Amino acid sequence: MKKTFVSKIILIFALFSGLVSNAQAKKWTLQECVQYALDNNISIKQADLDSQVAEIDKKDAFGNFLPSINGTAVHSWNIGLNQNITTGLLENQTVQFTSAGLNANIDIYRGLQNINRMKKARLSIIAAQYKLSKMKDDVSLNVANAFLQILFNKENLKVQKEQLQNNEKQKERTKALVDAGSVPRGDLLDIDATVASSQQSVIVAENTLLISKLSLAQLLQIENFQDFDIQDNDYEVRESEVMLQTPSAIFEKAKTERSELKIAKANLEIAEKDVQIARGAYQPSLQGFYSFSTRASYSDRIVDYNLNSQNPTRVIGVVEGTNQNVITPNLSPILGKPAPIFDQFSDNKGHSFGFQLNIPILNGLSARNNVERSKVALERSRTVYSQQELDLERNVYTAFTDAKGALKSYESALVALEARTEAFNYAKEKFDVGLMNAFELNQAQTLYVNAQSEVLRTKFDYIFRVKVLEFYFGIPIQKQ
């Protein structure tokens, strides 16, 4: 029994270890990184919340077309000498008063402000969507740059490790030559220094790769960056169709595709609506209203005003010049007890409705100042739109020039690498026959390694420059 239990524990542990191993073995593609960033990036979530707020503002603008309806209800206690609201007489008693009402108001005309507010709300939604799109584009481009940086650092690490292996092999050959007396011992010391330098280069390359992984993991909001890695796909340099376009053609396409210009245009249209809304305050406003009200009252003690009674309830006053008291008339047949509450509500109900016209004459120059303020904001939006158009044109021409330059740099680096490879192989042959010392061989090798690194740098720089140019042409990274 105990043996079976131990076997189960071992099996569970093995399965768990396998799951952990598989989880750690996951390597992310560029598409997965971009999509994960789009789903989890904080800036994108904030932009999405701004879009939701714009939708709520649209509902507010729609609500301006609806009537405002409010109900009221009041119940009060009046203790002491009070006038009965129902009878109009003064009575020393506690009277409870209940009233209820319903008020409705609707704008019939308000200088077209409500219509312009609705149009502005729709434009604000469009602007928020453009901002969200721009945020996604920026995040996608940053992810692609970080992804390509990891690929470059991986390739560079391979180059450094390969050179370390070559140096270690060269050290073994040099040691054999020193032992045979073919080369001086100083060459072996130079090779030892070269091996140590290569080991340091490998360590630096490993640290650089780790930092680049950390940068991408943080961009993706991944906490466990130690296990984060990407697929080692070989991104070959390809000829992009965008590179066959002219800068002016790319710019014309960018004006219809890029979100920066769309945002500036939407903000310009919003500013125009603000001017129209402000001007609407100059015009009269017409509002319709309706009011319904009803009331009821009742007291805790009813007073008898019968003149036939021997003890009249109340003396109102004394006739001037006499001692005769003035007593309330016999109202008991009229008053008696107040009507039932619900009957009072029915008898005392009333309606009021009509129109209210407001004509602005002088309001402390507030309307005029709002119009002037809106005009200034409109002019600022026009300036921003013009500047965005200029910036977009400059960015497109710069991106095109950078991509062309990066391609030429990559082609030159390939030619230089080919020459440095032949030079390094020739230097090794001369060193093996004693026609070159270790210092000269180390120099040739350093130039060869630098040429390899330059090819990698220019390769991935060109790939990224092309992606930027394709971005301006409207080609998203996540669909490439």
Side-chain angles (χ1 to χ4, degrees), residues 331-385:
L331 299 177
S332 59
I334 301 176
L335 297 178
K337 283 190 174 182
I341 298 299
F342 292 104
D343 290 344
Q344 292 187 53
F345 281 132
S346 178
D347 296 338
N348 297 328
K349 63 185 178 181
H351 303 270
S352 174
F353 55 89
F355 300 96
Q356 180 177 342
L357 179 65
N358 295 318
I359 302 175
I361 298 176
L362 181 62
N363 295 292
L365 301 179
S366 61
R368 179 180 179 275
N369 291 336
N370 286 335
V371 171
E372 294 299 323
R373 191 178 295 109
S374 299
K375 288 181 178 179
V376 172
L378 175 60
E379 190 61 31
R380 182 182 292 111
S381 297
R382 287 198 182 102
T383 304
V384 171
Y385 179 79

Side-chain angles (χ1 to χ4, degrees), residues 137-247:
D137 289 346
D138 293 342
V139 170
S140 299
L141 200 60
N142 291 334
V143 169
N145 186 24
F147 190 92
L148 294 175
Q149 187 64 42
I150 294 176
L151 289 179
F152 165 71
N153 291 332
K154 281 190 171 187
E155 294 297 325
N156 186 55
L157 179 59
K158 291 179 182 178
V159 170
Q160 300 301 331
K161 287 183 176 181
E162 181 181 353
Q163 293 307 313
L164 176 60
Q165 293 177 356
N166 292 335
N167 289 333
E168 289 176 344
K169 292 179 181 178
Q170 189 65 35
K171 178 181 177 180
E172 294 177 358
R173 289 196 298 268
T174 303
K175 184 178 180 181
L177 292 175
V178 170
D179 294 339
S182 301
V183 296
R185 185 172 181 81
D187 288 351
L188 180 59
L189 298 177
D190 289 335
I191 292 296
D192 287 338
T194 301
V195 170
S197 179
S198 296
Q199 291 174 344
Q200 184 179 5
S201 299
V202 169
I203 294 174
V204 172
E206 289 175 343
N207 292 336
T208 304
L209 176 59
L210 179 61
I211 293 174
S212 62
K213 288 181 179 180
L214 172 61
S215 299
L216 180 55
Q218 288 180 338
L219 191 61
L220 300 181
Q221 307 297 323
I222 296 177
E223 296 181 358
N224 190 15
F225 70 91
Q226 291 86 354
D227 299 328
F228 175 77
D229 201 359
I230 64 173
Q231 289 187 2
D232 300 334
N233 294 335
D234 187 12
Y235 284 81
E236 296 294 336
V237 175
R238 58 181 178 82
E239 184 177 3
S240 175
E241 296 180 358
V242 181
M243 296 295 295
L244 303 177
Q245 302 288 333
T246 62

